[in-house]
Short mmCIF file of all heavy atoms in Angstrom, two decimals:
data_model
loop_
_atom_site.label_atom_id
_atom_site.label_comp_id
_atom_site.label_asym_id
_atom_site.label_seq_id
_atom_site.Cartn_x
_atom_site.Cartn_y
_atom_site.Cartn_z
N PRO A 97 8.20 6.32 5.43
CA PRO A 97 9.03 5.11 5.38
C PRO A 97 10.51 5.39 5.11
O PRO A 97 11.39 4.79 5.73
CB PRO A 97 8.41 4.30 4.24
CG PRO A 97 7.00 4.75 4.17
CD PRO A 97 7.03 6.21 4.55
N GLU A 98 10.80 6.33 4.22
CA GLU A 98 12.20 6.62 3.91
C GLU A 98 12.89 7.33 5.08
O GLU A 98 14.08 7.12 5.32
CB GLU A 98 12.35 7.42 2.61
CG GLU A 98 11.65 8.76 2.60
CD GLU A 98 10.17 8.71 2.21
OE1 GLU A 98 9.61 7.63 1.99
OE2 GLU A 98 9.57 9.79 2.14
N VAL A 99 12.17 8.13 5.83
CA VAL A 99 12.73 8.81 7.00
C VAL A 99 13.04 7.78 8.09
O VAL A 99 14.11 7.80 8.68
CB VAL A 99 11.79 9.91 7.52
CG1 VAL A 99 12.27 10.46 8.86
CG2 VAL A 99 11.64 11.01 6.49
N LEU A 100 12.11 6.87 8.32
CA LEU A 100 12.33 5.81 9.30
C LEU A 100 13.53 4.96 8.91
O LEU A 100 14.38 4.64 9.75
CB LEU A 100 11.09 4.94 9.46
CG LEU A 100 11.23 3.78 10.45
CD1 LEU A 100 11.56 4.27 11.85
CD2 LEU A 100 9.96 2.93 10.46
N GLN A 101 13.64 4.62 7.64
CA GLN A 101 14.78 3.82 7.18
C GLN A 101 16.10 4.54 7.42
O GLN A 101 17.06 3.95 7.90
CB GLN A 101 14.62 3.45 5.70
CG GLN A 101 15.70 2.54 5.18
CD GLN A 101 15.74 1.17 5.84
OE1 GLN A 101 14.73 0.65 6.28
NE2 GLN A 101 16.92 0.59 5.90
N GLU A 102 16.15 5.83 7.11
CA GLU A 102 17.37 6.61 7.34
C GLU A 102 17.70 6.68 8.82
O GLU A 102 18.86 6.57 9.21
CB GLU A 102 17.22 8.01 6.75
CG GLU A 102 17.26 8.03 5.25
CD GLU A 102 17.07 9.42 4.68
OE1 GLU A 102 17.33 10.42 5.39
OE2 GLU A 102 16.66 9.51 3.50
N LEU A 103 16.70 6.85 9.64
CA LEU A 103 16.89 6.89 11.09
C LEU A 103 17.48 5.57 11.58
O LEU A 103 18.46 5.55 12.33
CB LEU A 103 15.55 7.18 11.75
CG LEU A 103 15.49 7.32 13.24
CD1 LEU A 103 14.44 8.36 13.61
CD2 LEU A 103 15.14 6.02 13.92
N LEU A 104 16.91 4.45 11.13
CA LEU A 104 17.40 3.13 11.55
C LEU A 104 18.82 2.88 11.05
O LEU A 104 19.65 2.35 11.78
CB LEU A 104 16.46 2.04 11.05
CG LEU A 104 15.05 2.05 11.65
CD1 LEU A 104 14.18 0.99 10.98
CD2 LEU A 104 15.08 1.87 13.15
N GLU A 105 19.11 3.28 9.82
CA GLU A 105 20.46 3.10 9.28
C GLU A 105 21.48 3.94 10.05
O GLU A 105 22.58 3.47 10.33
CB GLU A 105 20.49 3.45 7.80
CG GLU A 105 19.80 2.42 6.93
CD GLU A 105 19.74 2.80 5.47
OE1 GLU A 105 20.29 3.85 5.07
OE2 GLU A 105 19.12 2.03 4.71
N GLU A 106 21.10 5.16 10.37
CA GLU A 106 22.02 6.02 11.13
C GLU A 106 22.30 5.42 12.50
O GLU A 106 23.43 5.36 12.95
CB GLU A 106 21.43 7.43 11.25
CG GLU A 106 22.40 8.46 11.81
CD GLU A 106 22.45 8.49 13.33
OE1 GLU A 106 21.42 8.23 13.97
OE2 GLU A 106 23.53 8.77 13.87
N TYR A 107 21.26 4.94 13.16
CA TYR A 107 21.43 4.35 14.49
C TYR A 107 22.28 3.08 14.41
O TYR A 107 23.19 2.89 15.21
CB TYR A 107 20.07 4.03 15.11
CG TYR A 107 20.18 3.53 16.52
CD1 TYR A 107 20.27 4.41 17.58
CD2 TYR A 107 20.23 2.16 16.79
CE1 TYR A 107 20.40 3.96 18.88
CE2 TYR A 107 20.35 1.69 18.08
CZ TYR A 107 20.44 2.60 19.12
OH TYR A 107 20.58 2.15 20.41
N ALA A 108 22.00 2.23 13.44
CA ALA A 108 22.71 0.95 13.32
C ALA A 108 24.17 1.12 12.97
O ALA A 108 24.99 0.25 13.26
CB ALA A 108 22.02 0.07 12.27
N SER A 109 24.52 2.25 12.39
CA SER A 109 25.91 2.47 11.99
C SER A 109 26.68 3.35 12.98
O SER A 109 27.84 3.69 12.73
CB SER A 109 25.97 3.07 10.58
OG SER A 109 25.32 4.33 10.56
N ARG A 110 26.07 3.72 14.09
CA ARG A 110 26.76 4.52 15.10
C ARG A 110 27.92 3.74 15.69
O ARG A 110 27.85 2.52 15.86
CB ARG A 110 25.82 4.89 16.25
CG ARG A 110 24.82 5.94 15.91
CD ARG A 110 23.97 6.26 17.11
NE ARG A 110 22.93 7.22 16.78
CZ ARG A 110 21.99 7.61 17.61
NH1 ARG A 110 21.94 7.11 18.83
NH2 ARG A 110 21.09 8.48 17.23
N ASP A 111 28.97 4.46 16.05
CA ASP A 111 30.08 3.83 16.77
C ASP A 111 29.57 3.33 18.11
O ASP A 111 28.76 4.00 18.77
CB ASP A 111 31.21 4.84 17.01
CG ASP A 111 31.99 5.13 15.75
OD1 ASP A 111 31.95 4.30 14.82
OD2 ASP A 111 32.65 6.18 15.70
N THR A 113 27.76 0.63 18.63
CA THR A 113 26.63 -0.30 18.57
C THR A 113 27.19 -1.68 18.29
O THR A 113 27.88 -1.90 17.30
CB THR A 113 25.60 0.10 17.49
OG1 THR A 113 26.27 0.25 16.24
CG2 THR A 113 24.88 1.38 17.86
N TYR A 115 26.39 -5.79 18.03
CA TYR A 115 25.30 -6.72 17.80
C TYR A 115 25.71 -8.16 18.07
O TYR A 115 25.12 -9.08 17.56
CB TYR A 115 24.78 -6.57 16.36
CG TYR A 115 24.10 -5.24 16.19
CD1 TYR A 115 24.82 -4.12 15.79
CD2 TYR A 115 22.76 -5.09 16.46
CE1 TYR A 115 24.20 -2.89 15.66
CE2 TYR A 115 22.13 -3.87 16.33
CZ TYR A 115 22.86 -2.77 15.92
OH TYR A 115 22.24 -1.55 15.79
N THR A 121 24.87 -7.50 8.54
CA THR A 121 24.82 -6.47 7.51
C THR A 121 23.97 -5.31 8.03
O THR A 121 23.19 -5.46 8.99
CB THR A 121 24.19 -7.01 6.21
OG1 THR A 121 22.82 -7.33 6.47
CG2 THR A 121 24.94 -8.22 5.69
N LEU A 122 24.07 -4.18 7.37
CA LEU A 122 23.26 -3.03 7.74
C LEU A 122 21.77 -3.37 7.60
O LEU A 122 20.96 -2.99 8.45
CB LEU A 122 23.62 -1.81 6.89
CG LEU A 122 22.90 -0.51 7.23
CD1 LEU A 122 23.16 -0.09 8.68
CD2 LEU A 122 23.33 0.59 6.28
N ALA A 123 21.42 -4.12 6.56
CA ALA A 123 20.02 -4.51 6.36
C ALA A 123 19.53 -5.39 7.51
O ALA A 123 18.39 -5.25 7.97
CB ALA A 123 19.85 -5.24 5.03
N GLU A 124 20.36 -6.30 7.98
CA GLU A 124 19.99 -7.16 9.10
C GLU A 124 19.82 -6.34 10.38
O GLU A 124 18.87 -6.54 11.14
CB GLU A 124 21.03 -8.25 9.32
CG GLU A 124 21.05 -9.29 8.23
CD GLU A 124 22.24 -10.23 8.32
OE1 GLU A 124 23.35 -9.78 8.68
OE2 GLU A 124 22.05 -11.42 8.04
N LYS A 125 20.73 -5.40 10.60
CA LYS A 125 20.66 -4.55 11.79
C LYS A 125 19.40 -3.71 11.78
O LYS A 125 18.68 -3.63 12.79
CB LYS A 125 21.89 -3.65 11.88
CG LYS A 125 23.18 -4.38 12.15
CD LYS A 125 24.36 -3.41 12.09
CE LYS A 125 25.68 -4.12 12.23
NZ LYS A 125 26.81 -3.18 12.15
N THR A 126 19.12 -3.08 10.64
CA THR A 126 17.92 -2.23 10.57
C THR A 126 16.65 -3.06 10.66
O THR A 126 15.67 -2.63 11.24
CB THR A 126 17.91 -1.36 9.31
OG1 THR A 126 17.98 -2.18 8.15
CG2 THR A 126 19.07 -0.37 9.31
N GLY A 127 16.68 -4.26 10.11
CA GLY A 127 15.53 -5.17 10.22
C GLY A 127 15.25 -5.54 11.67
O GLY A 127 14.10 -5.56 12.11
N ASN A 128 16.31 -5.83 12.41
CA ASN A 128 16.16 -6.14 13.84
C ASN A 128 15.60 -4.95 14.61
O ASN A 128 14.72 -5.11 15.46
CB ASN A 128 17.50 -6.57 14.44
CG ASN A 128 17.96 -7.92 13.96
OD1 ASN A 128 17.18 -8.72 13.46
ND2 ASN A 128 19.25 -8.18 14.09
N LEU A 129 16.10 -3.76 14.32
CA LEU A 129 15.60 -2.57 14.99
C LEU A 129 14.13 -2.32 14.64
O LEU A 129 13.32 -1.99 15.52
CB LEU A 129 16.44 -1.35 14.61
CG LEU A 129 17.87 -1.34 15.13
CD1 LEU A 129 18.68 -0.23 14.46
CD2 LEU A 129 17.91 -1.20 16.65
N ARG A 130 13.77 -2.51 13.38
CA ARG A 130 12.39 -2.30 12.95
C ARG A 130 11.45 -3.26 13.68
O ARG A 130 10.37 -2.88 14.13
CB ARG A 130 12.29 -2.50 11.43
CG ARG A 130 10.95 -2.15 10.85
CD ARG A 130 10.94 -2.36 9.34
NE ARG A 130 11.92 -1.54 8.65
CZ ARG A 130 11.72 -0.27 8.29
NH1 ARG A 130 10.59 0.32 8.57
NH2 ARG A 130 12.66 0.39 7.65
N LEU A 133 10.91 -2.11 17.19
CA LEU A 133 9.96 -0.99 17.21
C LEU A 133 8.53 -1.50 17.06
O LEU A 133 7.63 -1.07 17.77
CB LEU A 133 10.27 0.01 16.09
CG LEU A 133 11.44 0.96 16.33
CD1 LEU A 133 11.78 1.70 15.05
CD2 LEU A 133 11.13 1.93 17.45
N ILE A 140 11.20 5.51 19.81
CA ILE A 140 11.93 6.66 19.28
C ILE A 140 11.61 7.84 20.18
O ILE A 140 10.44 8.18 20.37
CB ILE A 140 11.52 6.98 17.84
CG1 ILE A 140 11.74 5.77 16.93
CG2 ILE A 140 12.28 8.21 17.33
CD1 ILE A 140 11.13 5.92 15.55
N TRP A 149 17.48 12.86 18.49
CA TRP A 149 16.62 11.71 18.69
C TRP A 149 17.46 10.52 19.11
O TRP A 149 18.68 10.51 18.94
CB TRP A 149 15.86 11.38 17.40
CG TRP A 149 16.78 10.87 16.32
CD1 TRP A 149 17.46 11.63 15.42
CD2 TRP A 149 17.17 9.53 16.11
NE1 TRP A 149 18.24 10.82 14.64
CE2 TRP A 149 18.09 9.52 15.04
CE3 TRP A 149 16.84 8.33 16.71
CZ2 TRP A 149 18.66 8.36 14.56
CZ3 TRP A 149 17.42 7.16 16.23
CH2 TRP A 149 18.32 7.19 15.16
N LEU A 151 16.97 5.93 19.93
CA LEU A 151 16.17 4.73 20.14
C LEU A 151 16.51 4.21 21.53
O LEU A 151 17.68 4.05 21.85
CB LEU A 151 16.53 3.65 19.11
CG LEU A 151 16.13 3.88 17.67
CD1 LEU A 151 16.64 2.75 16.78
CD2 LEU A 151 14.63 3.99 17.55
#
Side-chain angles (χ1 to χ4, degrees):
E98 60 275 3
V99 171
L100 179 60
Q101 184 63 30
E102 288 178 23
L103 182 145
L104 295 175
E105 288 176 3
E106 190 275 328
Y107 185 85
S109 62
R110 286 182 184 175
D111 286 339
T113 53
Y115 292 89
T121 66
L122 184 59
E124 290 170 322
K125 292 175 186 179
T126 58
N128 290 341
L129 292 169
R130 188 179 299 276
L133 282 170
I140 302 170
W149 68 272
L151 290 177

